[in-house]
Amino acid sequence: MHPKALLDVCSELVRLTLKFDHPTDAIVSKFFRDNRGLGPRERATLSGTVYTVLRKKLLFDHFAPSGSGPKERRLAILGFYGPGDFLRSALTDQEKNWLDQCEKINVADLMERHRHNLPEWLVQPLKDQLGDEFWQLADSLNQGAGLDLRVNALNAKRADVQKELAQAGIKAVPTPFSPWGLRIAGKPTLNKLDAFTRGAFEVQDEGSQLLVMLLDAKRGEMVVDFCAGAGGKTLAIGAGMRSTGRLYAFDTSAHRLDALKPRLARSGLSNVHPAAIAHERDDRIKRLSGKIDRVLVDAPCSGLGTLRRNPDLKWRQTLALVEQMAVTQTAILQSAARLLKPGGRLVYATCSMMIQENEAIAQAFTEANKEFTPRDAGEILSGLKVEGAAGLCSGGENGLRYLRLWPHRHQTDGFFAAVWEKS
């Protein structure tokens, strides 16, 4: 496609994305379905541009007014622009001059908001938690994330899958913390590989794998993944149980659970029982009350820990929505806790960096439920021989630590987890 035509298409996709009426990945997928003539390289350029605009929106908003033409075209030019002359042939002389002026600006001299590219309501809570480290986090959130895989321990070994990927021209390195993880730079096509179709691996962030390790489900147990969604953690739990016992995958969305079915078929697991529930007080929950060994509550949350992958969330979420989410999280955790039998383990997790969704929920639950004793997440992970486990955990009550993962420290998404044992 000629650069002029590609830039026009890019401007249209930026315009649609900046309405913020749907998640960006859904908008981009629909756009590609509606424009089937776009080749793989054009699609990569278009999605790369859109995600760059979303990550650096405040900086680009600062540059845009000095240019000419529709704003979405100016933003697309800034997001599209990279080394080489490919784009320049599509620009007017006026646009070339404007781009030259933009290039001369030293971003380090600009106001904070143009450097961190985060909404103001999110900045102070993160600064309060991280102090001077805030800028390292802000920089990491403005970069894309790598791709993590979880090798299916039921039917494959990490070293073997790593070799198989290398033979397909894909370089994968072991993740530093999870014993099942492999990390890949870039976004290679994986779903055509034999290792994928036979269920030897799934795409799953290393942080998500560590949550499953905290649950530490054993062979033959009764286990519940309370908010299973598309089932990434469910599959990891089932593999850890060696496909024995019973693993219930509950979710209020039958549609989300439908996405688990093909993954479950590939995995070779026979102990997973997906079930859509109406709400957290569903009759199915009542019937299993007091019978379950381990429960994972991977709670619905703001998703702000995934901003490297989903930069639109920072512009679509608000503090009011985060606080509303905390009410739901409290109710779900309380209901899920009823499932546990004495001696059972409860794990509450989010992919958020906000205290309201994390420490505040965990502390309130401990206060309200004296029969649940908090456990030290670092101690559990150390016991499972996770290297550097202490560096993954912080905060907590009475010196006990929570799992607290940060993109800039751990190269994972931002995750939180608290653990209790029912006495």
Side-chain angles (χ1 to χ4, degrees):
M1 189 184 277
H2 190 276
K4 277 191 171 132
L6 189 55
L7 182 56
D8 288 344
V9 174
C10 211
S11 303
E12 174 59 12
L13 183 53
V14 167
R15 185 186 71 77
L16 292 170
T17 305
L18 292 181
K19 287 180 175 181
F20 296 122
D21 51 359
H22 295 289
T24 295
D25 56 355
I27 293 169
V28 171
S29 296
K30 182 180 185 305
F31 190 83
F32 290 164
R33 282 197 304 277
D34 295 344
N35 295 271
R36 292 190 183 277
L38 295 166
R41 189 172 290 182
E42 289 150 355
R43 289 174 180 229
T45 301
L46 289 166
S47 60
T49 300
V50 161
Y51 279 90
T52 300
V53 169
L54 290 168
R55 287 191 182 101
K56 300 187 174 179
K57 185 174 175 296
L58 296 183
L59 176 65
F60 290 174
D61 281 345
H62 177 62
F63 287 160
S66 57
S68 60
K71 184 179 179 183
E72 58 265 20
R73 180 179 167 91
R74 284 173 268 156
L75 294 174
I77 290 167
L78 291 165
F80 194 126
Y81 185 62
D85 296 325
F86 178 71
L87 176 68
R88 285 202 167 254
S89 62
L91 303 183
T92 64
D93 289 343
Q94 198 175 0
E95 285 171 336
K96 286 176 192 167
N97 291 336
W98 166 68
L99 201 52
D100 289 341
Q101 293 306 312
C102 290
E103 280 206 291
K104 286 175 186 165
I105 294 169
N106 183 1
V107 174
D109 296 336
L110 296 176
M111 290 169 63
E112 281 200 358
R113 64 196 299 267
H114 301 135
R115 289 171 18 231
H116 60 56
N117 284 286
L118 292 166
E120 283 307 315
W121 65 267
L122 187 53
V123 173
Q124 202 52 52
L126 293 175
K127 281 186 172 178
D128 290 345
Q129 292 182 71
L130 291 169
D132 293 341
E133 246 187 284
F134 165 78
W135 286 102
Q136 288 170 255
L137 173 66
D139 288 344
S140 76
L141 295 179
N142 285 329
Q143 312 299 319
L147 196 62
D148 290 353
L149 311 180
R150 177 189 56 80
V151 172
N152 182 356
L154 189 67
N155 62 18
K157 290 190 166 58
R158 178 159 73 169
D160 294 342
V161 173
Q162 187 182 11
K163 274 184 203 154
E164 201 173 330
L165 290 168
Q167 284 161 4
I170 297 167
K171 188 188 175 192
V173 296
T175 48
F177 309 115
S178 166
W180 313 311
L182 288 169
R183 182 160 291 156
I184 294 170
K187 302 262 185 302
T189 303
L190 300 169
N191 59 1
K192 303 278 194 296
L193 297 175
D194 181 54
F196 178 79
T197 53
R198 70 169 193 271
F201 69 81
E202 282 281 343
V203 174
Q204 186 179 33
D205 187 80
E206 184 182 25
S208 192
Q209 297 177 38
L210 290 168
L211 298 182
V212 172
M213 292 189 78
L214 270 186
L215 189 69
D216 194 24
K218 309 288 191 199
R219 290 171 187 253
E221 288 185 331
M222 295 260 285
V223 180
V224 169
D225 184 350
F226 202 78
C227 308
K233 296 180 190 71
T234 310
L235 298 174
I237 296 164
M241 295 167 73
R242 308 302 297 172
S243 199
T244 63
R246 277 181 89 77
L247 172 53
Y248 295 96
F250 290 143
D251 202 275
T252 54
S253 166
H255 176 67
R256 279 199 294 266
L257 286 174
D258 283 343
L260 167 58
K261 286 173 187 168
R263 302 174 80 185
L264 186 54
R266 277 198 309 273
S267 73
L269 294 172
S270 58
N271 66 335
V272 178
H273 303 273
I277 54 174
H279 43 67
E280 72 271 10
R281 301 172 311 285
D282 192 286
D283 281 347
R284 284 173 188 266
I285 311 299
K286 287 178 187 162
R287 285 201 294 274
L288 291 171
S289 184
K291 296 177 181 172
I292 303 297
D293 295 289
R294 293 170 202 259
V295 176
L296 171 63
V297 180
D298 179 24
C301 68
S302 65
L304 291 165
T306 69
L307 288 181
R308 298 179 307 163
R309 301 173 202 284
N310 304 304
D312 55 313
L313 282 176
K314 61 187 174 184
W315 312 120
R316 291 172 55 231
Q317 291 285 14
T318 63
L319 189 55
L321 284 171
V322 168
E323 285 164 355
Q324 203 176 313
M325 201 64 87
V327 176
T328 306
Q329 289 155 348
T330 300
I332 288 173
L333 179 58
Q334 197 61 57
S335 284
R338 296 187 189 114
L339 290 164
L340 283 151
K341 64 188 188 189
R345 178 176 294 181
L346 175 64
V347 175
Y348 169 78
T350 74
C351 53
S352 172
M353 301 180 287
M354 301 294 281
I355 283 173
Q356 295 97 314
E357 299 182 86
N358 295 336
E359 287 87 348
I361 301 283
Q363 285 159 15
F365 179 82
T366 302
E367 278 299 307
N369 298 273
K370 298 302 182 191
E371 72 279 24
F372 281 87
T373 307
R375 290 280 314 272
D376 187 293
E379 201 176 279
I380 293 169
L381 292 176
S382 294
L384 295 169
K385 308 286 190 292
V386 172
E387 209 170 304
L392 304 173
C393 303
S394 59
E397 304 150 80
N398 306 321
L400 298 175
R401 294 162 294 172
Y402 301 122
L403 179 72
R404 202 60 149 87
L405 302 176
W406 294 94
H408 67 290
R409 278 187 204 164
H410 307 113
Q411 285 69 59
T412 65
D413 287 341
F415 278 104
F416 169 87
V419 189
W420 297 267
E421 209 154 87
K422 187 172 182 181
S423 46

